[in-house]
């Protein structure tokens, strides 16, 4: 069986950025046999949250490569040039393209690496491979859409699988009820509902805000917006605070003792969690204000409320909604419930479970490499699940360009000497090709 130098699980922005960094190494004569496995049938960036009017929450300059190599072929600017829209984009005078456009940019980059990725395959587990006690390789097991199993051997692994829906405990028993769904499945699941009239949206972050406004723009739908918070607070993207997303801040977080790291995380949580854009908050406020003007209560803002019990019934999903200050509980039926309740970042623990005897608690070093004992040779890197040690930028796009370079440098020091370079079209800046 062929042995890869590297297998990447997932082909979202993190591992696409890695593919770019590996190609740069390749062009410097350090060719690596890298291969990626992606469960979606084709590249798509959070497709079920691709809402009309949704915009990036980060400057396009923090694309997959610009902060490291602004003359790369794969910059957002070169994408615009290749698509013949650079002048028009300049006229928009914005740093924040629509999510539709950024998805198109990511798809354009991904299309350059088609032969390096198998789409429509879900990795189900990673097994140790070796003789006696020495683990020299990893066996990556996956399943395709037809149920066929695949196995591949690799010397190193990079996990970039993103988050999994975080479902509050009181909804855990409603897993099979199609009327209850997480924001990550929003568009697909909403389309499956039969003329819903009353919908509950649970959460107070960017996704909850976007979904509320999306539902408001669909005639005939009434929304109960349920949040523990008293007020929607905007994300802080002021310049000094934004420096926490600079690559060097990762060193600052990592080198702090654990207690201090948690304090830093808490201090700047409002940059990313339960913090929609101010413009969305203003739109939502205006919706509720106009209700006061007309006296027609279409939507309800249930601030300082929590869902304490959820039950499937023939008449709808019945929620007990408790007012946090008074403790008073109200019961209401909904045609659908959207859980805009965030993401868990522990998917790697399931995939790597067979390796747990070697990996312990999956702790990583500064360069995202999981600590392993000396007789365990394969290098395993985690992208996007190191927030507790590497800071709030870990799940975002901001540090992809620098993180993937760091991973490549460690890979280079770890793997056997690289092969001779392949023949390549020279990387060019602002090349006008598709
Ligand atoms: C709606 C939304 C908007 C966002 N907007 C921004 C923004 O504006 N700016 C920003 O910085 N961040 C934003 N984020 C944060 C987001 O995490 C990053 O933008 C980015 O998607 C992270 O890339 P990733 O590759 O680590 O994870 P993902 O984008 O989640 O990609 C992971 C990939 O792995 C695949 N996968 C998962 N499990 C398996 C498996 N077992 N086998 C094979 N493949 C698998 C998935 O199908 C997916 O394609 C947003 C997040 C959401 C949900």
């Amino acid at each position: 069986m062929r042995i890869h130098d590297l297998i990447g699980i997932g082909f979202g922005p993190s591992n696409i950025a890695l593919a770019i960094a590996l190609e740069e190494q390749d062009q410097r004569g350090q060719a690596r046999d890298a291969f990626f496995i992606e469960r979606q049938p084709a590249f798509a960036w959070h497709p079920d949250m691709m809402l009309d009017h949704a915009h990036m929450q980060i400057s396009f300059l923090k694309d997959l490569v610009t902060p490291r190599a602004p003359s790369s072929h794969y910059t957002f600017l070169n994408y615009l040039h290749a698509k013949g829209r650079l002048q028009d984009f300049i006229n928009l005078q914005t740093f924040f393209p629509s999510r539709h456009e950024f998805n198109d940019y990511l798809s354009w980059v991904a299309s350059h690496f088609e032969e390096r990725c198998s789409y429509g395959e879900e990795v189900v587990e990673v097994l140790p491979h070796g003789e006696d006690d020495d683990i020299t390789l990893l066996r990556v097991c996956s399943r395709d859409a037809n149920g066929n199993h695949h196995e591949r051997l690799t010397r190193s692994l990079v996990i970039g699988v993103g988050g999994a829906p975080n479902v509050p405990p009181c909804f855990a028993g409603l897993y099979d009820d199609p009327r209850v769904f997480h924001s990550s499945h929003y568009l697909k699941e909403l389309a499956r509902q039969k003329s819903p009239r009353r919908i509950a949206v649970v959460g107070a972050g960017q996704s909850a805000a976007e979904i509320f406004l999306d539902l408001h723009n669909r005639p005939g739908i009434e929304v109960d917006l349920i949040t523990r918070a008293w007020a929607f607070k905007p994300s802080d993207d002021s310049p000094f605070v934004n420096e926490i997303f600079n690559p060097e801040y990762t060193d600052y977080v990592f080198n702090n003792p654990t207690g201090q790291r948690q304090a830093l995380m808490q201090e700047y949580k409002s940059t990313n969690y339960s913090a929609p854009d101010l413009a969305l908050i203003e739109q939502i406020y205006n919706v509720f204000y106009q209700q006061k003007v007309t006296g027609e209560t279409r939507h309800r803002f249930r601030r300082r409320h929590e869902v304490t019990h959820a039950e499937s019934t023939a008449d709808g999903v019945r929620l007990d909604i408790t007012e946090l200050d008074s403790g008073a509980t109200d019961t209401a039926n909904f045609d659908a419930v959207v859980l805009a309740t965030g993401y868990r970042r522990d998917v790697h623990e399931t995939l790597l479970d067979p390796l747990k005897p070697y990996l312990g608690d999956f702790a990583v070093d500064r360069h995202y490499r999981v600590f392993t004992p000396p007789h365990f040779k394969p290098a395993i890197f985690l992208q996007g699940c190191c927030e507790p040690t590497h800071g709030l930028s870990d799940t975002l796009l901001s540090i992809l360009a620098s993180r993937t370079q760091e991973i490549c440098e460690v890979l280079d020091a770890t793997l056997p000497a690289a092969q001779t370079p392949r023949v390549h079209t020279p990387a060019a800046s602002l090349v006008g090709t598709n």
Side-chain angles (χ1 to χ4, degrees), residues 9-28:
I9 307 180
F11 206 49
S14 293
N15 273 342
I16 299 175
L18 180 63
I20 298 173
L22 286 165
E23 189 180 88
E24 287 170 16
Q25 277 202 332
D26 196 339
Q27 285 157 351
R28 290 194 296 268

Side-chain angles (χ1 to χ4, degrees), residues 23-277:
E23 189 180 88
E24 287 170 16
Q25 277 202 332
D26 196 339
Q27 285 157 351
R28 290 194 296 268
Q30 298 155 307
R32 295 293 180 192
D33 174 358
F35 193 75
F36 298 88
I37 303 170
E38 166 57 49
R39 75 175 164 202
Q40 296 189 94
F43 175 80
W45 185 53
H46 306 304
D48 289 314
M49 279 299 287
M50 206 46 75
L51 307 180
D52 292 344
H53 313 301
H55 279 76
M56 295 300 294
Q57 291 183 279
I58 206 170
S59 162
F60 69 80
L61 291 170
K62 291 187 174 182
D63 60 22
L64 299 176
V65 65
T66 296
R68 179 186 72 244
S71 60
S72 165
H73 177 75
Y74 301 110
T75 64
F76 184 76
L77 284 180
N78 193 39
Y79 151 80
L80 288 174
H81 187 261
K83 296 284 177 177
R85 286 202 308 273
L86 182 54
Q87 291 296 341
D88 301 327
F89 185 83
I90 293 169
N91 290 335
L92 284 180
Q93 300 197 31
T94 183
F95 279 101
F96 306 101
S98 72
R99 274 220 293 272
H100 278 286
E101 186 167 33
F102 206 74
N103 175 59
D104 193 56
Y105 156 68
L106 294 170
S107 307
W108 174 80
V109 178
S111 71
H112 290 73
F113 298 97
E114 291 271 292
E115 81 288 358
R116 285 195 178 255
C117 180
S118 179
Y119 287 95
E121 259 186 65
E122 177 169 16
V123 174
V124 287
E125 63 178 354
V126 181
L127 303 171
H129 180 93
E131 277 172 21
D132 304 325
D133 247 7
D134 274 351
I135 304 305
T136 48
L137 299 171
L138 297 173
R139 187 179 291 274
V140 179
C141 309
S142 56
R143 197 174 36 222
D144 66 26
N146 300 321
N148 299 318
H149 286 262
H150 303 264
E151 288 194 0
R152 296 179 179 86
L153 288 175
T154 182
R155 297 187 180 88
S156 65
L157 188 75
V158 180
I159 299 193
V161 292
N166 178 49
V167 175
C170 67
F171 289 99
L174 275 61
Y175 186 75
D176 290 337
D177 189 332
R179 297 169 298 184
V180 180
F181 48 93
H182 187 260
S183 56
S184 54
H185 306 300
Y186 171 66
L187 286 176
K188 182 181 64 193
E189 293 300 329
L190 185 69
R192 288 174 56 189
Q193 307 300 316
K194 295 186 188 97
S195 317
R197 192 181 62 80
R198 191 169 177 193
I199 298 184
V201 176
V202 183
Q206 177 75 9
S207 293
E210 288 182 4
I211 287 171
F212 172 80
L213 288 169
D214 183 72
L215 291 171
H216 171 69
N217 290 327
R218 295 172 189 256
I221 291 183
E222 298 170 13
V223 182
D224 281 41
L225 186 52
I226 305 170
T227 76
R228 283 204 205 104
W230 194 82
F232 272 103
K233 288 197 286 185
S235 57
D236 184 344
D237 61 352
S238 55
F240 286 107
V241 169
N242 241 341
E243 287 187 331
I244 71 161
F245 298 112
N246 290 0
E248 61 273 16
Y249 193 77
T250 308
D251 290 319
Y252 181 69
V253 176
F254 190 85
N255 294 327
N256 266 283
T258 309
Q260 186 65 12
R261 276 190 205 146
Q262 283 164 357
L264 287 175
M265 217 73 74
Q266 203 50 41
E267 185 175 353
Y268 295 110
K269 222 176 151 207
S270 66
T271 53
N272 191 34
Y273 292 105
S274 299
D277 289 343

